[in-house]
């Protein structure tokens, strides 16, 4: 399905990003496993993909850093001569109530989750335009759609991801580049492990399927959006939340 395509997955050392990288590889893509702090974990994802017969390479880049993103993406294009798929998955949380939230916690979340998406799309789109094809999938969150107490910074960043997705979809459609977003609900990962048992139980009560999602259940939707099976879909936000 994705044979011959080169895919960048940001924040692919762990959690949802690692599952996306593995799924895209399983479907035939060569995968760039981006990471920032977890070098060992990213190397493991790379090795796992190679052991299964796929092609992957782990590459460090802090997505919140504009210059680093430029060098990262230029380097990938120089090496492979094409970038067909970009999955902007890297994300962080710094939860806290609005009136006590530090400027640093606000900036860190916006710079990683929103500016990081801008940085990568900014540089990848140049190369996709050259080839007149490409698919970009941005990972938002239901928190960006409906809001969540204690997540003013995170909700703002994820709502921003929806905005940038819709604008970029309109801007890039004439060049046959599609841009979509996935908004997961609660998914089992390091990010949700941090939540208290009380918050987890409360969350399950508003999920129709009565459980948290698995990273692989997000990855299969991302793979669908990344590939040609979704060729008439652009500017969309797919909520993958077990029916919240
Ligand atoms: P996670 O397990 O905490 O993993 C986060 C990933 O992002 C890691 O691979 C981390 O890499 C990477 N990352 C963080 N800062 C980075 C930076 N500056 N540059 C590059 N990579 C960076 O999180 P997750 O649960 O898998 O979440 C993945 C995405 O889904 C995020 O965008 C998150 O907001 C979104 N999401 C998650 C849920 C959920 O319930 N889990 C729900 C809705 C949306 P290093 O460790 O190498 O730094």
């Amino acid at each position: 399905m994705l044979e011959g395509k080169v895919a960048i997955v940001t924040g692919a050392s762990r959690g949802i990003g690692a599952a996306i990288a593995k799924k895209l590889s399983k479907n035939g893509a060569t995968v760039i496993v981006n990471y920032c702090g977890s070098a060992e974990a990213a190397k493991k994802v790379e090795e796992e993909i190679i052991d299964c017969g796929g092609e992957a390479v782990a590459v460090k880049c802090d997505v919140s850093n504009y210059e680093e993103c430029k060098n990262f993406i230029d380097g990938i294009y120089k090496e492979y001569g094409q970038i067909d798929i970009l999955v902007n998955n890297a994300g962080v949380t710094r939860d806290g109530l609005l009136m006590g939230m530090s400027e640093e916690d606000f900036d860190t979340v916006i710079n990683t989750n929103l500016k990081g998406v801008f940085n990568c799309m900014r540089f990848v789109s140049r190369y996709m335009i050259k080839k007149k094809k490409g698919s970009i999938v941005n990972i938002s969150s239901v928190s960006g759609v409906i809001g969540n107490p204690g997540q003013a910074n995170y909700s703002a960043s994820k709502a921003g991801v929806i905005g940038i997705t819709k604008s970029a979809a309109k801007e890039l459609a004439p060049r046959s580049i599609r841009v979509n977003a996935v908004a997961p609900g609660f998914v089992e990962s390091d990010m949700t492990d941090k939540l208290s048992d009380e918050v987890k139980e409360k969350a399950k009560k508003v999920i129709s399927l009565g459980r948290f999602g698995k990273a692989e259940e997000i990855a299969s939707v991302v793979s669908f959006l990344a590939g040609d099976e979704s060729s008439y879909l652009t500017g969309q936000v797919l909520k993958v939340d077990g029916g919240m």
Side-chain angles (χ1 to χ4, degrees), residues 44-54:
K44 258 181 132 172
V45 175
E46 177 201 286
E47 284 167 2
E48 220 178 292
I49 289 175
I50 292 170
D51 286 350
C52 292

Side-chain angles (χ1 to χ4, degrees), residues 11 13-14 16 36-38 62-63 89 140 154 158 185 187 189 192:
S13 54
R14 300 182 277 121
I16 296 171
C36 185
S38 308
D62 176 352
V63 297
N89 164 82
S140 176
Y154 184 77
K158 293 300 186 179
V187 180
S189 76
T192 47

Side-chain angles (χ1 to χ4, degrees), residues 164-182:
I164 200 171
T165 298
K166 291 185 178 222
S167 291
K170 289 186 172 171
E171 206 172 299
L172 297 173
R175 318 289 184 116
S176 302
I177 298 161
R178 299 182 299 109
V179 190
N180 290 290
V182 170

Side-chain angles (χ1 to χ4, degrees), residues 10-18 20 34-39 41-42 61-65 88-93 111-113 139-143 154 157-158 182-192 194-195 212 215 218:
T10 69
S13 54
R14 300 182 277 121
I16 296 171
I20 294 169
N34 162 253
Y35 67 97
C36 185
S38 308
C61 170
D62 176 352
V63 297
S64 68
N65 185 306
N88 281 307
N89 164 82
V92 292
T93 49
N111 287 338
T112 307
N113 299 7
I139 307 301
S140 176
S141 165
V142 288
S143 184
Y154 184 77
S157 73
K158 293 300 186 179
V182 170
F186 288 88
V187 180
E188 290 168 5
S189 76
D190 292 348
M191 192 175 270
T192 47
K194 288 185 220 155
L195 301 172
F212 279 20
I218 306 301

